[in-house]
Amino acid sequence: MAKKLQYVCTACAASSPKWAGQCDACGAWNSIVEEKPLSEGSSSKSIGSKRGGQVELTDLSTNEAPPPRTISGMDELDRVLGGGLVPSSAILVGGDPGIGKSTVLLQAAAQFASQGLKTIYISGEEASAQVRMRAQRLGLKDAPVKLGAETNLRDILTTLEAEKPQLAIIDSIQTMWVDTVDSAPGSVSQVRAAAHELTSFAKRKGVSVILVGHVTKDGQIAGPRVVEHMVDTVLYFEGERGHQFRILRAVKNRFGPADEIGVFEMTGAGLQEVKNPSALFLSERGEPSPGSVVFSGIEGTRPVLVEFQALVAPSPHSQPRRTVVGWDSSRLAMILAVLEARVGIPFAGLDVYLNVAGGIKVTEPAADLAVAAALLSAREDAALPKDTVVFGEISLSGALRSVSQTENRLKEAQKLGFSTAIMPKGDKAPSTAGLTAKRYDDLTAFVGDIFGAG
C-alpha cells in the first residue's frame, strides 16, 4: 500500500492533502511543502510519521527562585550533596559490601525525617524487622521513617504515589524487579529499566530518590553505565576494611562541586562525622621517620593533610616489587622513571612500597612531589623535619609545576602547626604568617637541597 503524502504550510502549519501554490488558510504563496515523517521506517521499528504532543517550552531567563535545599544536619553529607538535598533529585550511592551504605543512609533518613521531610525507606535486601534492629542499634528507633520490604517496582511506585513522600530511599537498585522486562533482577536490562522508572518518577512527582548500587570487583557500580548518566548525583562510599575511616565522595553532582568528600568514622553507634579530617589522619603520626612525608591536598573544596609512607628495600627477586595503596600505581612508575632519568637516582633492584595512611585515596597530581620526597627519604634513610608539608606536580622533564588552591593548602598546614612548606616556584600564593615556603624550579634542585644528592 502506497504511503499517503501530506502537505503542510510553512507559514501557518495548516495541512493539505495535495500541493497548491497558495495556502487556503492564510493565503501565503509558495509556502506549502511535503511533510516529512518524524523518522524513516515502519511504525513498528521507528517513531514513524505519527505526530505527538508539543513539549512545553520556557525561556532560559526566569525570575523564579531556585527550589530550597533541605539541610539534614549531617554536615559531611550536606557538604557532599552540595549544600543539602535538592527536591526532585535522583542520587545514586555505591560502595563495597559491608562498607556502611545502608547504615549511613538509615542515619540520613532519620535526619531528613527529623527536619520535616516525609521519608520512606524501601529495602529489597532485608526484612523490615532487620532494618528495625539496625535502627535500634543506632539509636534511631523513634525516628519518623516509614519502612517497607519489597522488590516489585510496580508495587513500590504505587505505594510512593499513594503516600506522597518527599524522600524515598531504595536499597538497592540491583534487587528491583520490573515485571515488563523478561530477565532476572540485577541484570543489565532490569537495572536500566528500574533506574529509568524511578528517576522519571522523581522528576514527575517532586520526590527525591536515593538509590543504593552494588559495585563490581573493580569498584564500578554494577549494571549499565547509563544509570550514572540518568541520575543527578553519584556518590561512592570508600574505605579500607582495616581502617575506621569512611570517605563519601561525589564523582558527579549537577547541584554542587564534584570530587567533594565527606569523612566519617565507623563506631559501634554507627558512622560519626569527622569535622577535621586532617587532624584525624595525622593523629597517630609519631616522630619523624625515613619515608614519611605529609602532603597538603585538596579534596573538592576542602584542604586535607595526609601522610605518605614509603619503604625502599633491596629486592631478593629478579623483578623488584612495586606495591601501592591509596595512589595510582602507574603514576608511581612515572615518578621512579623521572628520578632515574632526570636526577640520576636509580631504583633498579629495589622493592618500593607506597601507602597513604588512614585508608584515604589520593588522586590529584599535586601529590607527585610528596611521593618523590617519601621515596628519596626512604632510599637515603633520611627523615624530613616533622613540621614540613610537601606538594607539587612533577613533569616528565623533571620540572616542578604549580598547583591550584595553594593558599588554602598553606592555611590548612599552618592551622595544624606546620612551619615549612616545600612547593614549586611557580606558585605565587601570598606567604602565610608563621610558615616558611621553600620553592624549587625542578626536581634536581629539590633533591640537591633537601637530600644533598643528584
Side-chain angles (χ1 to χ4, degrees):
M1 183 177 179
K3 180 172 65 175
K4 185 178 179 180
L5 298 179
Q6 191 84 2
Y7 297 88
V8 67
C9 175
T10 56
C12 66
S15 59
S16 173
K18 63 181 181 179
W19 183 87
Q22 184 183 28
C23 176
D24 294 333
C26 67
W29 287 92
N30 296 323
S31 63
I32 296 179
V33 296
E34 180 185 345
E35 184 182 44
K36 298 191 180 300
L38 293 175
S39 63
E40 300 295 334
S42 63
S43 58
S44 61
K45 296 183 179 179
S46 68
I47 293 178
S49 60
K50 185 179 179 181
R51 300 277 162 170
Q54 288 193 349
V55 177
E56 181 182 355
L57 303 177
T58 59
D59 293 331
L60 186 61
S61 60
T62 179
N63 294 325
E64 295 180 6
R69 296 174 182 261
T70 301
I71 305 299
S72 69
M74 296 175 66
D75 294 338
E76 296 298 304
L77 177 62
D78 293 333
R79 173 192 288 271
V80 176
L81 291 176
L85 184 67
V86 176
S88 304
S89 60
I91 302 168
L92 180 63
V93 180
D96 292 333
I99 204 70
K101 301 185 297 297
S102 299
T103 299
V104 73
L105 288 181
L106 188 58
Q107 291 180 248
Q111 289 286 342
F112 281 118
S114 66
Q115 299 299 322
L117 285 188
K118 186 176 181 180
T119 304
I120 292 181
Y121 188 104
I122 302 293
S123 176
E125 301 177 347
E126 300 175 284
S128 298
Q130 293 175 303
V131 180
R132 289 194 201 95
M133 288 174 59
R134 181 186 297 116
Q136 188 170 7
R137 176 172 58 86
L138 300 176
L140 305 174
K141 62 178 181 178
D142 296 327
V145 178
K146 297 290 186 182
L147 297 179
E150 184 55 66
T151 58
N152 189 319
L153 189 61
R154 188 182 298 273
D155 296 343
I156 293 172
L157 292 178
T158 302
T159 303
L160 295 180
E161 192 168 17
E163 293 288 335
K164 295 181 173 56
Q166 295 164 291
L167 172 62
I169 299 176
I170 309 297
D171 186 7
S172 67
I173 189 62
Q174 275 80 14
T175 60
M176 294 298 107
W177 174 65
V178 183
D179 53 16
T180 58
V181 179
D182 294 331
S183 59
S187 62
V188 170
S189 54
Q190 283 281 2
V191 172
R192 184 195 300 117
H196 172 71
E197 292 288 350
L198 287 165
T199 303
S200 301
F201 182 86
K203 305 303 179 186
R204 286 186 289 108
K205 300 297 184 180
V207 180
S208 298
V209 175
I210 300 179
L211 311 175
V212 178
H214 299 166
V215 297
T216 64
K217 61 182 179 180
D218 298 326
Q220 301 294 320
I221 293 181
R225 198 63 185 265
V226 70
V227 174
E228 298 187 39
H229 293 280
M230 289 181 189
V231 298
D232 301 310
T233 304
V234 180
L235 308 178
Y236 276 85
F237 212 41
E238 305 170 353
E240 298 291 337
R241 289 297 184 93
H243 293 89
Q244 72 272 30
F245 303 123
R246 300 289 185 268
I247 311 296
L248 185 62
R249 186 186 303 273
V251 298
K252 172 190 174 182
N253 194 351
R254 290 173 179 160
F255 313 118
D259 285 329
E260 188 68 86
I261 67 166
V263 184
F264 298 86
E265 183 179 7
M266 179 64 78
T267 67
L271 289 163
Q272 304 294 328
E273 297 178 83
V274 177
K275 302 296 184 181
N276 190 345
S278 298
L280 199 58
F281 288 139
L282 300 179
S283 60
E284 298 180 5
R285 186 168 182 259
E287 291 301 315
S289 60
S292 174
V293 172
V294 176
F295 164 62
S296 183
I298 296 289
E299 293 290 345
T301 59
R302 79 197 304 177
V304 178
L305 268 61
V306 295
E307 180 185 5
F308 275 90
Q309 300 169 341
L311 176 64
V312 178
S315 176
H317 310 289
S318 58
Q319 185 71 25
R321 299 188 64 178
R322 304 285 187 262
T323 303
V324 186
V325 177
W327 205 54
D328 186 9
S329 58
S330 60
R331 202 154 186 91
L332 172 63
M334 186 197 78
I335 299 299
L336 293 174
V338 171
L339 285 172
E340 182 164 357
R342 304 301 182 191
V343 190
I345 299 179
F347 283 81
L350 298 173
D351 287 336
V352 175
Y353 302 90
L354 184 69
N355 176 54
V356 182
I360 191 173
K361 294 180 181 178
V362 177
T363 58
E364 60 171 334
D368 290 350
L369 187 57
V371 171
L375 294 173
L376 292 170
S377 172
R379 186 184 186 279
E380 302 297 324
D381 197 27
L384 266 71
K386 186 178 181 179
D387 59 351
T388 302
V389 295
V390 183
F391 59 88
E393 182 179 355
I394 299 176
S395 67
L396 292 179
S397 64
L400 299 184
R401 305 179 63 182
S402 59
V403 298
S404 62
Q405 302 189 49
T406 302
E407 187 176 358
N408 291 339
R409 299 174 195 265
L410 295 177
K411 285 182 178 179
E412 182 73 7
Q414 193 270 337
K415 186 172 67 175
L416 292 176
F418 290 87
S419 60
T420 305
I422 297 175
M423 54 193 289
K425 204 166 190 176
D427 286 322
K428 301 301 182 183
S431 58
T432 303
L435 194 145
T436 303
K438 293 185 177 180
R439 305 172 187 266
Y440 300 95
D441 281 322
D442 53 33
L443 200 54
T444 303
F446 163 73
V447 173
D449 185 28
I450 301 300
F451 299 99

